[in-house]
Structures are given as structure tokens and as C-alpha cells.
Amino acid sequence: GAGVSQSPRYKVAKRGQDVALRCDPISGHVSLFWYQQALGQGPEFLTYFQNEAQLDKSGLPSDRFFAERPEGSVSTLKIQRTQQEDSAVYLCASSLAGGEGQPQHFGDGTRLSIL
Amino acid sequence: QKEVEQNSGPLSVPEGAIASLNCTYSDRGSQSFFWYRQYSGKSPELIMSIYSNGDKEDGRFTAQLNKASQYVSLLIRDSQPSDSATYLCAVSGGSYIPTFGRGTSLIVHP
């Protein structure tokens, strides 16, 4: 496909379980971002990759959150020992190049619900 | 901390009217400005980007930027019910990480 693909679209987990969310960016896009979006809010930055390098992870809310992009394409966001406050939509976005001012292309997100 | 402020709305306009959406930002060093449209349950979709003061038009959409006053706006002419969505303002400057506002909900009623 031509767009950013995220899976699963919906994930329900029990509190304390680990989850893994996948993002497949647009082919050739260097930059990849993960965001968390709560209901009625804008996307909140979590982490940023340029190719395989994680250049910024300042938005990750705790050490339970971990992201990787080992080959510079597909990325996985992992949340360990999930808590109810982790319930949100997790958005992945990619852009063609790194640097300032690049418009981002978003996937449809993964809606995570922690019971 | 960089802040981007938007009125959450909802902004309700009749079909055919001009919808005006506003956004203010705190970082004077901001250089890139984006408007995204987000339908309920869908991902944000880029509508406009603007980088210099003044107006930028694309079809029914016009983005306006005033760096001195630190605001950016989006005008939608001839509003259609299909324009009903949440409009997100995003701002970046000196960093590859944009800051998003919480979005303004727009309702265009027939």
C-alpha cells in the first residue's frame, strides 16, 4: 500500500500484560514518529527515529515504553506491564526526510484499551 | 515548554459559509506550520503547510500566518458537511518534532 500501515487496529489487553504495536511506514521515508492521542486531545509526541537511529525518546512516559526500528523501516512500540492510563490511540507517522518542516503522513492508529 | 492553543469548539457554521479556525503558539522561533484534518476514528490528514508570513491558498482552503502575533489560521470557504471534522494545528521550529494543538471541532450543518 501507499500509506502508513499500523497493526493491530484495535487491541484489548488486561492490566499488567505486555503489548506490541507495529508501524509500517511509507517506503523510503527516513523519519518515523510515534504519538499517543487521548480522546479529545491532539497527538502527543513519544519518540522519533531517523532510519534505524532513535534520535529522541523524550516523550515516552515511563520505562515501560520501548520502541525500535532495527532495519530502518518497520517500527514496533512495546508497552510492558500495561496500566489503565495507557489506554489511548497510538499513531505512527512518517516523513520523507529528516529535519525541520517536513509534513508527516499518519497511519490510522492502534486503539489500545487496557481493562 | 512549547504550547499550541486552539479553541476546542465545536465551531458550527452553515453550509456554504466561511469557517475560520485559529491557532496561537508560544515559541517565537517556530518556522513551520501545518493544518491537519482528522475525521472521527481516523488518522490526521495534512491539509496545508505554511512557512512564511501571509496567505497561502489551496482550493477552498487558505492558511494565514502572522509570526509577529504568533498566530496561524485556516479559512475554509464554501463549507460543506463533509468538512465536518477536527482540525489540528501543528507547529515546529528548530526541531523535527512538531507540537500539536488539541484541535478544533468543526460542524457544518446543511
PDB file of all heavy atoms in Angstrom, chain B residues 51-91:
ATOM      1  N   TYR B  51       4.975  28.419   5.698  1.00  0.00           N
ATOM      2  CA  TYR B  51       6.284  28.663   6.291  1.00  0.00           C
ATOM      3  C   TYR B  51       6.632  30.145   6.385  1.00  0.00           C
ATOM      4  O   TYR B  51       7.557  30.516   7.102  1.00  0.00           O
ATOM      5  CB  TYR B  51       7.365  27.943   5.488  1.00  0.00           C
ATOM      6  CG  TYR B  51       7.131  26.456   5.338  1.00  0.00           C
ATOM      7  CD1 TYR B  51       6.515  25.948   4.196  1.00  0.00           C
ATOM      8  CD2 TYR B  51       7.487  25.561   6.340  1.00  0.00           C
ATOM      9  CE1 TYR B  51       6.278  24.583   4.065  1.00  0.00           C
ATOM     10  CE2 TYR B  51       7.258  24.199   6.206  1.00  0.00           C
ATOM     11  CZ  TYR B  51       6.656  23.721   5.066  1.00  0.00           C
ATOM     12  OH  TYR B  51       6.409  22.373   4.931  1.00  0.00           O
ATOM     13  N   SER B  52       5.906  31.007   5.642  1.00  0.00           N
ATOM     14  CA  SER B  52       6.234  32.421   5.661  1.00  0.00           C
ATOM     15  C   SER B  52       4.971  33.237   5.897  1.00  0.00           C
ATOM     16  O   SER B  52       3.845  32.779   5.648  1.00  0.00           O
ATOM     17  CB  SER B  52       6.906  32.832   4.352  1.00  0.00           C
ATOM     18  OG  SER B  52       6.103  32.486   3.248  1.00  0.00           O
ATOM     19  N   ASN B  53       5.166  34.440   6.381  1.00  0.00           N
ATOM     20  CA  ASN B  53       4.040  35.317   6.687  1.00  0.00           C
ATOM     21  C   ASN B  53       3.161  35.548   5.466  1.00  0.00           C
ATOM     22  O   ASN B  53       3.637  35.590   4.336  1.00  0.00           O
ATOM     23  CB  ASN B  53       4.548  36.676   7.191  1.00  0.00           C
ATOM     24  CG  ASN B  53       4.906  36.653   8.659  1.00  0.00           C
ATOM     25  OD1 ASN B  53       4.304  35.925   9.447  1.00  0.00           O
ATOM     26  ND2 ASN B  53       5.900  37.440   9.022  1.00  0.00           N
ATOM     27  N   GLY B  54       1.865  35.689   5.735  1.00  0.00           N
ATOM     28  CA  GLY B  54       0.935  35.984   4.656  1.00  0.00           C
ATOM     29  C   GLY B  54      -0.062  34.870   4.464  1.00  0.00           C
ATOM     30  O   GLY B  54      -0.313  34.084   5.368  1.00  0.00           O
ATOM     31  N   ASP B  55      -0.650  34.849   3.291  1.00  0.00           N
ATOM     32  CA  ASP B  55      -1.687  33.884   2.959  1.00  0.00           C
ATOM     33  C   ASP B  55      -1.172  32.851   1.977  1.00  0.00           C
ATOM     34  O   ASP B  55      -0.353  33.140   1.115  1.00  0.00           O
ATOM     35  CB  ASP B  55      -2.894  34.594   2.336  1.00  0.00           C
ATOM     36  CG  ASP B  55      -3.583  35.535   3.294  1.00  0.00           C
ATOM     37  OD1 ASP B  55      -3.142  35.638   4.457  1.00  0.00           O
ATOM     38  OD2 ASP B  55      -4.577  36.170   2.890  1.00  0.00           O
ATOM     39  N   LYS B  56      -1.706  31.650   2.131  1.00  0.00           N
ATOM     40  CA  LYS B  56      -1.434  30.580   1.164  1.00  0.00           C
ATOM     41  C   LYS B  56      -2.758  29.909   0.864  1.00  0.00           C
ATOM     42  O   LYS B  56      -3.438  29.451   1.781  1.00  0.00           O
ATOM     43  CB  LYS B  56      -0.427  29.578   1.729  1.00  0.00           C
ATOM     44  CG  LYS B  56      -0.125  28.429   0.783  1.00  0.00           C
ATOM     45  CD  LYS B  56       0.868  27.461   1.405  1.00  0.00           C
ATOM     46  CE  LYS B  56       1.150  26.286   0.484  1.00  0.00           C
ATOM     47  NZ  LYS B  56       2.079  25.299   1.107  1.00  0.00           N
ATOM     48  N   GLU B  57      -3.087  29.860  -0.423  1.00  0.00           N
ATOM     49  CA  GLU B  57      -4.391  29.339  -0.829  1.00  0.00           C
ATOM     50  C   GLU B  57      -4.233  28.016  -1.559  1.00  0.00           C
ATOM     51  O   GLU B  57      -3.316  27.832  -2.360  1.00  0.00           O
ATOM     52  CB  GLU B  57      -5.092  30.358  -1.735  1.00  0.00           C
ATOM     53  CG  GLU B  57      -6.515  30.004  -2.108  1.00  0.00           C
ATOM     54  CD  GLU B  57      -7.182  31.116  -2.899  1.00  0.00           C
ATOM     55  OE1 GLU B  57      -6.979  32.299  -2.553  1.00  0.00           O
ATOM     56  OE2 GLU B  57      -7.886  30.800  -3.868  1.00  0.00           O
ATOM     57  N   ASP B  58      -5.166  27.106  -1.278  1.00  0.00           N
ATOM     58  CA  ASP B  58      -5.201  25.830  -1.982  1.00  0.00           C
ATOM     59  C   ASP B  58      -6.656  25.411  -2.079  1.00  0.00           C
ATOM     60  O   ASP B  58      -7.232  24.905  -1.107  1.00  0.00           O
ATOM     61  CB  ASP B  58      -4.382  24.773  -1.228  1.00  0.00           C
ATOM     62  CG  ASP B  58      -4.325  23.448  -1.977  1.00  0.00           C
ATOM     63  OD1 ASP B  58      -4.920  23.335  -3.072  1.00  0.00           O
ATOM     64  OD2 ASP B  58      -3.684  22.503  -1.470  1.00  0.00           O
ATOM     65  N   GLY B  59      -7.254  25.671  -3.233  1.00  0.00           N
ATOM     66  CA  GLY B  59      -8.657  25.354  -3.412  1.00  0.00           C
ATOM     67  C   GLY B  59      -9.528  26.171  -2.475  1.00  0.00           C
ATOM     68  O   GLY B  59      -9.417  27.398  -2.435  1.00  0.00           O
ATOM     69  N   ARG B  60     -10.344  25.500  -1.698  1.00  0.00           N
ATOM     70  CA  ARG B  60     -11.228  26.216  -0.766  1.00  0.00           C
ATOM     71  C   ARG B  60     -10.539  26.580   0.539  1.00  0.00           C
ATOM     72  O   ARG B  60     -11.138  27.217   1.411  1.00  0.00           O
ATOM     73  CB  ARG B  60     -12.464  25.350  -0.470  1.00  0.00           C
ATOM     74  CG  ARG B  60     -13.361  25.086  -1.661  1.00  0.00           C
ATOM     75  CD  ARG B  60     -14.637  24.334  -1.270  1.00  0.00           C
ATOM     76  NE  ARG B  60     -14.390  23.015  -0.739  1.00  0.00           N
ATOM     77  CZ  ARG B  60     -14.589  22.666   0.547  1.00  0.00           C
ATOM     78  NH1 ARG B  60     -15.042  23.551   1.424  1.00  0.00           N
ATOM     79  NH2 ARG B  60     -14.345  21.424   0.947  1.00  0.00           N
ATOM     80  N   PHE B  61      -9.295  26.162   0.695  1.00  0.00           N
ATOM     81  CA  PHE B  61      -8.567  26.375   1.946  1.00  0.00           C
ATOM     82  C   PHE B  61      -7.565  27.516   1.799  1.00  0.00           C
ATOM     83  O   PHE B  61      -6.869  27.614   0.800  1.00  0.00           O
ATOM     84  CB  PHE B  61      -7.821  25.104   2.354  1.00  0.00           C
ATOM     85  CG  PHE B  61      -8.720  23.926   2.609  1.00  0.00           C
ATOM     86  CD1 PHE B  61      -8.915  22.963   1.626  1.00  0.00           C
ATOM     87  CD2 PHE B  61      -9.364  23.767   3.820  1.00  0.00           C
ATOM     88  CE1 PHE B  61      -9.733  21.869   1.863  1.00  0.00           C
ATOM     89  CE2 PHE B  61     -10.188  22.680   4.057  1.00  0.00           C
ATOM     90  CZ  PHE B  61     -10.370  21.737   3.076  1.00  0.00           C
ATOM     91  N   THR B  62      -7.504  28.370   2.823  1.00  0.00           N
ATOM     92  CA  THR B  62      -6.483  29.409   2.902  1.00  0.00           C
ATOM     93  C   THR B  62      -5.870  29.381   4.292  1.00  0.00           C
ATOM     94  O   THR B  62      -6.585  29.457   5.289  1.00  0.00           O
ATOM     95  CB  THR B  62      -7.070  30.803   2.642  1.00  0.00           C
ATOM     96  OG1 THR B  62      -7.622  30.846   1.326  1.00  0.00           O
ATOM     97  CG2 THR B  62      -5.984  31.874   2.762  1.00  0.00           C
ATOM     98  N   ALA B  63      -4.557  29.254   4.331  1.00  0.00           N
ATOM     99  CA  ALA B  63      -3.833  29.365   5.593  1.00  0.00           C
ATOM    100  C   ALA B  63      -3.261  30.769   5.687  1.00  0.00           C
ATOM    101  O   ALA B  63      -2.774  31.325   4.703  1.00  0.00           O
ATOM    102  CB  ALA B  63      -2.721  28.320   5.674  1.00  0.00           C
ATOM    103  N   GLN B  64      -3.329  31.332   6.882  1.00  0.00           N
ATOM    104  CA  GLN B  64      -2.800  32.671   7.118  1.00  0.00           C
ATOM    105  C   GLN B  64      -1.818  32.602   8.283  1.00  0.00           C
ATOM    106  O   GLN B  64      -2.153  32.037   9.323  1.00  0.00           O
ATOM    107  CB  GLN B  64      -3.944  33.641   7.448  1.00  0.00           C
ATOM    108  CG  GLN B  64      -4.969  33.790   6.345  1.00  0.00           C
ATOM    109  CD  GLN B  64      -6.137  34.681   6.756  1.00  0.00           C
ATOM    110  OE1 GLN B  64      -6.623  34.590   7.891  1.00  0.00           O
ATOM    111  NE2 GLN B  64      -6.584  35.531   5.846  1.00  0.00           N
ATOM    112  N   LEU B  65      -0.657  33.192   8.103  1.00  0.00           N
ATOM    113  CA  LEU B  65       0.371  33.170   9.131  1.00  0.00           C
ATOM    114  C   LEU B  65       0.791  34.582   9.479  1.00  0.00           C
ATOM    115  O   LEU B  65       1.080  35.389   8.592  1.00  0.00           O
ATOM    116  CB  LEU B  65       1.578  32.358   8.662  1.00  0.00           C
ATOM    117  CG  LEU B  65       2.795  32.333   9.584  1.00  0.00           C
ATOM    118  CD1 LEU B  65       2.454  31.711  10.931  1.00  0.00           C
ATOM    119  CD2 LEU B  65       3.939  31.579   8.908  1.00  0.00           C
ATOM    120  N   ASN B  66       0.845  34.862  10.777  1.00  0.00           N
ATOM    121  CA  ASN B  66       1.334  36.136  11.279  1.00  0.00           C
ATOM    122  C   ASN B  66       2.324  35.830  12.401  1.00  0.00           C
ATOM    123  O   ASN B  66       1.926  35.579  13.546  1.00  0.00           O
ATOM    124  CB  ASN B  66       0.176  36.995  11.794  1.00  0.00           C
ATOM    125  CG  ASN B  66       0.624  38.376  12.235  1.00  0.00           C
ATOM    126  OD1 ASN B  66       1.699  38.543  12.811  1.00  0.00           O
ATOM    127  ND2 ASN B  66      -0.197  39.374  11.965  1.00  0.00           N
ATOM    128  N   LYS B  67       3.591  35.818  12.076  1.00  0.00           N
ATOM    129  CA  LYS B  67       4.608  35.439  13.063  1.00  0.00           C
ATOM    130  C   LYS B  67       4.752  36.497  14.156  1.00  0.00           C
ATOM    131  O   LYS B  67       5.046  36.159  15.300  1.00  0.00           O
ATOM    132  CB  LYS B  67       5.951  35.200  12.382  1.00  0.00           C
ATOM    133  CG  LYS B  67       5.983  33.954  11.514  1.00  0.00           C
ATOM    134  CD  LYS B  67       7.385  33.701  10.974  1.00  0.00           C
ATOM    135  CE  LYS B  67       7.427  32.429  10.146  1.00  0.00           C
ATOM    136  NZ  LYS B  67       8.794  32.164   9.612  1.00  0.00           N
ATOM    137  N   ALA B  68       4.545  37.748  13.826  1.00  0.00           N
ATOM    138  CA  ALA B  68       4.677  38.801  14.841  1.00  0.00           C
ATOM    139  C   ALA B  68       3.639  38.623  15.950  1.00  0.00           C
ATOM    140  O   ALA B  68       3.919  38.833  17.133  1.00  0.00           O
ATOM    141  CB  ALA B  68       4.528  40.173  14.192  1.00  0.00           C
ATOM    142  N   SER B  69       2.459  38.213  15.574  1.00  0.00           N
ATOM    143  CA  SER B  69       1.383  38.000  16.540  1.00  0.00           C
ATOM    144  C   SER B  69       1.289  36.549  16.986  1.00  0.00           C
ATOM    145  O   SER B  69       0.456  36.215  17.836  1.00  0.00           O
ATOM    146  CB  SER B  69       0.040  38.434  15.940  1.00  0.00           C
ATOM    147  OG  SER B  69       0.072  39.811  15.615  1.00  0.00           O
ATOM    148  N   GLN B  70       2.100  35.714  16.398  1.00  0.00           N
ATOM    149  CA  GLN B  70       2.183  34.291  16.768  1.00  0.00           C
ATOM    150  C   GLN B  70       0.841  33.587  16.619  1.00  0.00           C
ATOM    151  O   GLN B  70       0.367  32.907  17.551  1.00  0.00           O
ATOM    152  CB  GLN B  70       2.753  34.134  18.187  1.00  0.00           C
ATOM    153  CG  GLN B  70       4.201  34.603  18.265  1.00  0.00           C
ATOM    154  CD  GLN B  70       4.754  34.562  19.682  1.00  0.00           C
ATOM    155  OE1 GLN B  70       5.100  35.594  20.252  1.00  0.00           O
ATOM    156  NE2 GLN B  70       4.816  33.384  20.244  1.00  0.00           N
ATOM    157  N   TYR B  71       0.247  33.777  15.469  1.00  0.00           N
ATOM    158  CA  TYR B  71      -0.963  33.012  15.201  1.00  0.00           C
ATOM    159  C   TYR B  71      -0.988  32.546  13.753  1.00  0.00           C
ATOM    160  O   TYR B  71      -0.389  33.139  12.867  1.00  0.00           O
ATOM    161  CB  TYR B  71      -2.237  33.777  15.557  1.00  0.00           C
ATOM    162  CG  TYR B  71      -2.737  34.742  14.502  1.00  0.00           C
ATOM    163  CD1 TYR B  71      -3.446  34.279  13.384  1.00  0.00           C
ATOM    164  CD2 TYR B  71      -2.532  36.099  14.627  1.00  0.00           C
ATOM    165  CE1 TYR B  71      -3.901  35.155  12.424  1.00  0.00           C
ATOM    166  CE2 TYR B  71      -2.994  36.978  13.663  1.00  0.00           C
ATOM    167  CZ  TYR B  71      -3.679  36.514  12.569  1.00  0.00           C
ATOM    168  OH  TYR B  71      -4.125  37.382  11.618  1.00  0.00           O
ATOM    169  N   VAL B  72      -1.678  31.452  13.590  1.00  0.00           N
ATOM    170  CA  VAL B  72      -1.906  30.890  12.258  1.00  0.00           C
ATOM    171  C   VAL B  72      -3.374  30.486  12.181  1.00  0.00           C
ATOM    172  O   VAL B  72      -3.937  29.998  13.164  1.00  0.00           O
ATOM    173  CB  VAL B  72      -0.956  29.702  11.973  1.00  0.00           C
ATOM    174  CG1 VAL B  72      -1.077  28.618  13.038  1.00  0.00           C
ATOM    175  CG2 VAL B  72      -1.169  29.143  10.585  1.00  0.00           C
ATOM    176  N   SER B  73      -3.979  30.757  11.049  1.00  0.00           N
ATOM    177  CA  SER B  73      -5.397  30.450  10.909  1.00  0.00           C
ATOM    178  C   SER B  73      -5.650  29.657   9.636  1.00  0.00           C
ATOM    179  O   SER B  73      -4.818  29.635   8.720  1.00  0.00           O
ATOM    180  CB  SER B  73      -6.234  31.729  10.931  1.00  0.00           C
ATOM    181  OG  SER B  73      -5.887  32.548   9.838  1.00  0.00           O
ATOM    182  N   LEU B  74      -6.795  29.032   9.607  1.00  0.00           N
ATOM    183  CA  LEU B  74      -7.243  28.280   8.433  1.00  0.00           C
ATOM    184  C   LEU B  74      -8.655  28.733   8.106  1.00  0.00           C
ATOM    185  O   LEU B  74      -9.532  28.690   8.971  1.00  0.00           O
ATOM    186  CB  LEU B  74      -7.228  26.781   8.702  1.00  0.00           C
ATOM    187  CG  LEU B  74      -7.701  25.894   7.542  1.00  0.00           C
ATOM    188  CD1 LEU B  74      -6.673  25.917   6.406  1.00  0.00           C
ATOM    189  CD2 LEU B  74      -7.932  24.450   8.014  1.00  0.00           C
ATOM    190  N   LEU B  75      -8.837  29.187   6.862  1.00  0.00           N
ATOM    191  CA  LEU B  75     -10.163  29.555   6.397  1.00  0.00           C
ATOM    192  C   LEU B  75     -10.640  28.491   5.413  1.00  0.00           C
ATOM    193  O   LEU B  75      -9.888  28.072   4.535  1.00  0.00           O
ATOM    194  CB  LEU B  75     -10.126  30.917   5.689  1.00  0.00           C
ATOM    195  CG  LEU B  75      -9.636  32.105   6.512  1.00  0.00           C
ATOM    196  CD1 LEU B  75      -9.631  33.369   5.649  1.00  0.00           C
ATOM    197  CD2 LEU B  75     -10.497  32.307   7.741  1.00  0.00           C
ATOM    198  N   ILE B  76     -11.871  28.096   5.586  1.00  0.00           N
ATOM    199  CA  ILE B  76     -12.488  27.141   4.656  1.00  0.00           C
ATOM    200  C   ILE B  76     -13.675  27.853   4.020  1.00  0.00           C
ATOM    201  O   ILE B  76     -14.654  28.192   4.691  1.00  0.00           O
ATOM    202  CB  ILE B  76     -12.965  25.859   5.375  1.00  0.00           C
ATOM    203  CG1 ILE B  76     -11.816  25.229   6.175  1.00  0.00           C
ATOM    204  CG2 ILE B  76     -13.503  24.864   4.349  1.00  0.00           C
ATOM    205  CD1 ILE B  76     -12.240  24.028   7.012  1.00  0.00           C
ATOM    206  N   ARG B  77     -13.555  28.105   2.721  1.00  0.00           N
ATOM    207  CA  ARG B  77     -14.643  28.773   2.007  1.00  0.00           C
ATOM    208  C   ARG B  77     -15.661  27.747   1.522  1.00  0.00           C
ATOM    209  O   ARG B  77     -15.322  26.587   1.280  1.00  0.00           O
ATOM    210  CB  ARG B  77     -14.089  29.542   0.805  1.00  0.00           C
ATOM    211  CG  ARG B  77     -13.278  30.771   1.172  1.00  0.00           C
ATOM    212  CD  ARG B  77     -12.806  31.501  -0.101  1.00  0.00           C
ATOM    213  NE  ARG B  77     -11.961  30.645  -0.912  1.00  0.00           N
ATOM    214  CZ  ARG B  77     -10.686  30.388  -0.642  1.00  0.00           C
ATOM    215  NH1 ARG B  77     -10.121  30.927   0.417  1.00  0.00           N
ATOM    216  NH2 ARG B  77      -9.981  29.607  -1.442  1.00  0.00           N
ATOM    217  N   ASP B  78     -16.903  28.216   1.349  1.00  0.00           N
ATOM    218  CA  ASP B  78     -17.964  27.346   0.838  1.00  0.00           C
ATOM    219  C   ASP B  78     -17.980  26.020   1.611  1.00  0.00           C
ATOM    220  O   ASP B  78     -17.888  24.936   1.021  1.00  0.00           O
ATOM    221  CB  ASP B  78     -17.765  27.101  -0.664  1.00  0.00           C
ATOM    222  CG  ASP B  78     -18.934  26.370  -1.300  1.00  0.00           C
ATOM    223  OD1 ASP B  78     -20.053  26.446  -0.772  1.00  0.00           O
ATOM    224  OD2 ASP B  78     -18.702  25.689  -2.327  1.00  0.00           O
ATOM    225  N   SER B  79     -18.083  26.119   2.910  1.00  0.00           N
ATOM    226  CA  SER B  79     -18.009  24.936   3.777  1.00  0.00           C
ATOM    227  C   SER B  79     -19.067  23.904   3.386  1.00  0.00           C
ATOM    228  O   SER B  79     -20.217  24.248   3.076  1.00  0.00           O
ATOM    229  CB  SER B  79     -18.217  25.339   5.237  1.00  0.00           C
ATOM    230  OG  SER B  79     -17.177  26.175   5.677  1.00  0.00           O
ATOM    231  N   GLN B  80     -18.657  22.642   3.426  1.00  0.00           N
ATOM    232  CA  GLN B  80     -19.528  21.526   3.093  1.00  0.00           C
ATOM    233  C   GLN B  80     -19.689  20.615   4.310  1.00  0.00           C
ATOM    234  O   GLN B  80     -18.775  20.540   5.153  1.00  0.00           O
ATOM    235  CB  GLN B  80     -18.941  20.731   1.934  1.00  0.00           C
ATOM    236  CG  GLN B  80     -18.725  21.546   0.669  1.00  0.00           C
ATOM    237  CD  GLN B  80     -20.023  22.065   0.102  1.00  0.00           C
ATOM    238  OE1 GLN B  80     -20.974  21.309  -0.090  1.00  0.00           O
ATOM    239  NE2 GLN B  80     -20.083  23.368  -0.154  1.00  0.00           N
ATOM    240  N   PRO B  81     -20.801  19.897   4.416  1.00  0.00           N
ATOM    241  CA  PRO B  81     -20.940  18.948   5.537  1.00  0.00           C
ATOM    242  C   PRO B  81     -19.762  17.980   5.625  1.00  0.00           C
ATOM    243  O   PRO B  81     -19.393  17.570   6.736  1.00  0.00           O
ATOM    244  CB  PRO B  81     -22.255  18.236   5.204  1.00  0.00           C
ATOM    245  CG  PRO B  81     -23.052  19.262   4.462  1.00  0.00           C
ATOM    246  CD  PRO B  81     -22.039  20.012   3.620  1.00  0.00           C
ATOM    247  N   SER B  82     -19.155  17.645   4.494  1.00  0.00           N
ATOM    248  CA  SER B  82     -18.008  16.734   4.511  1.00  0.00           C
ATOM    249  C   SER B  82     -16.763  17.360   5.143  1.00  0.00           C
ATOM    250  O   SER B  82     -15.782  16.657   5.421  1.00  0.00           O
ATOM    251  CB  SER B  82     -17.667  16.274   3.094  1.00  0.00           C
ATOM    252  OG  SER B  82     -17.375  17.386   2.269  1.00  0.00           O
ATOM    253  N   ASP B  83     -16.792  18.666   5.375  1.00  0.00           N
ATOM    254  CA  ASP B  83     -15.680  19.326   6.073  1.00  0.00           C
ATOM    255  C   ASP B  83     -15.777  19.145   7.579  1.00  0.00           C
ATOM    256  O   ASP B  83     -14.857  19.507   8.320  1.00  0.00           O
ATOM    257  CB  ASP B  83     -15.656  20.825   5.759  1.00  0.00           C
ATOM    258  CG  ASP B  83     -15.356  21.130   4.306  1.00  0.00           C
ATOM    259  OD1 ASP B  83     -14.591  20.365   3.669  1.00  0.00           O
ATOM    260  OD2 ASP B  83     -15.893  22.133   3.788  1.00  0.00           O
ATOM    261  N   SER B  84     -16.885  18.622   8.056  1.00  0.00           N
ATOM    262  CA  SER B  84     -17.070  18.412   9.496  1.00  0.00           C
ATOM    263  C   SER B  84     -16.018  17.425  10.000  1.00  0.00           C
ATOM    264  O   SER B  84     -15.980  16.270   9.576  1.00  0.00           O
ATOM    265  CB  SER B  84     -18.479  17.891   9.783  1.00  0.00           C
ATOM    266  OG  SER B  84     -19.461  18.822   9.372  1.00  0.00           O
ATOM    267  N   ALA B  85     -15.185  17.892  10.902  1.00  0.00           N
ATOM    268  CA  ALA B  85     -14.058  17.100  11.403  1.00  0.00           C
ATOM    269  C   ALA B  85     -13.369  17.915  12.493  1.00  0.00           C
ATOM    270  O   ALA B  85     -13.778  19.037  12.796  1.00  0.00           O
ATOM    271  CB  ALA B  85     -13.067  16.787  10.276  1.00  0.00           C
ATOM    272  N   THR B  86     -12.326  17.351  13.053  1.00  0.00           N
ATOM    273  CA  THR B  86     -11.469  18.095  13.969  1.00  0.00           C
ATOM    274  C   THR B  86     -10.243  18.571  13.195  1.00  0.00           C
ATOM    275  O   THR B  86      -9.630  17.792  12.452  1.00  0.00           O
ATOM    276  CB  THR B  86     -11.035  17.213  15.157  1.00  0.00           C
ATOM    277  OG1 THR B  86     -12.196  16.875  15.924  1.00  0.00           O
ATOM    278  CG2 THR B  86     -10.052  17.958  16.045  1.00  0.00           C
ATOM    279  N   TYR B  87      -9.902  19.829  13.374  1.00  0.00           N
ATOM    280  CA  TYR B  87      -8.770  20.424  12.657  1.00  0.00           C
ATOM    281  C   TYR B  87      -7.640  20.685  13.659  1.00  0.00           C
ATOM    282  O   TYR B  87      -7.815  21.411  14.644  1.00  0.00           O
ATOM    283  CB  TYR B  87      -9.200  21.705  11.941  1.00  0.00           C
ATOM    284  CG  TYR B  87     -10.091  21.380  10.770  1.00  0.00           C
ATOM    285  CD1 TYR B  87     -11.446  21.104  10.955  1.00  0.00           C
ATOM    286  CD2 TYR B  87      -9.568  21.274   9.479  1.00  0.00           C
ATOM    287  CE1 TYR B  87     -12.254  20.752   9.893  1.00  0.00           C
ATOM    288  CE2 TYR B  87     -10.371  20.916   8.411  1.00  0.00           C
ATOM    289  CZ  TYR B  87     -11.716  20.661   8.620  1.00  0.00           C
ATOM    290  OH  TYR B  87     -12.508  20.289   7.570  1.00  0.00           O
ATOM    291  N   LEU B  88      -6.516  20.060  13.390  1.00  0.00           N
ATOM    292  CA  LEU B  88      -5.348  20.136  14.267  1.00  0.00           C
ATOM    293  C   LEU B  88      -4.328  21.105  13.694  1.00  0.00           C
ATOM    294  O   LEU B  88      -3.970  21.015  12.517  1.00  0.00           O
ATOM    295  CB  LEU B  88      -4.699  18.759  14.413  1.00  0.00           C
ATOM    296  CG  LEU B  88      -5.539  17.649  15.052  1.00  0.00           C
ATOM    297  CD1 LEU B  88      -4.900  16.291  14.776  1.00  0.00           C
ATOM    298  CD2 LEU B  88      -5.668  17.873  16.537  1.00  0.00           C
ATOM    299  N   CYS B  89      -3.851  21.984  14.537  1.00  0.00           N
ATOM    300  CA  CYS B  89      -2.760  22.882  14.194  1.00  0.00           C
ATOM    301  C   CYS B  89      -1.471  22.279  14.748  1.00  0.00           C
ATOM    302  O   CYS B  89      -1.442  21.804  15.888  1.00  0.00           O
ATOM    303  CB  CYS B  89      -3.034  24.246  14.813  1.00  0.00           C
ATOM    304  SG  CYS B  89      -1.709  25.448  14.704  1.00  0.00           S
ATOM    305  N   ALA B  90      -0.409  22.258  13.949  1.00  0.00           N
ATOM    306  CA  ALA B  90       0.883  21.739  14.397  1.00  0.00           C
ATOM    307  C   ALA B  90       1.964  22.759  14.052  1.00  0.00           C
ATOM    308  O   ALA B  90       1.955  23.355  12.973  1.00  0.00           O
ATOM    309  CB  ALA B  90       1.186  20.401  13.744  1.00  0.00           C
ATOM    310  N   VAL B  91       2.884  22.932  14.978  1.00  0.00           N
ATOM    311  CA  VAL B  91       3.924  23.962  14.845  1.00  0.00           C
ATOM    312  C   VAL B  91       5.273  23.345  15.174  1.00  0.00           C
ATOM    313  O   VAL B  91       5.396  22.584  16.138  1.00  0.00           O
ATOM    314  CB  VAL B  91       3.628  25.127  15.823  1.00  0.00           C
ATOM    315  CG1 VAL B  91       4.744  26.151  15.796  1.00  0.00           C
ATOM    316  CG2 VAL B  91       2.284  25.767  15.498  1.00  0.00           C
TER     317      VAL B  91
END
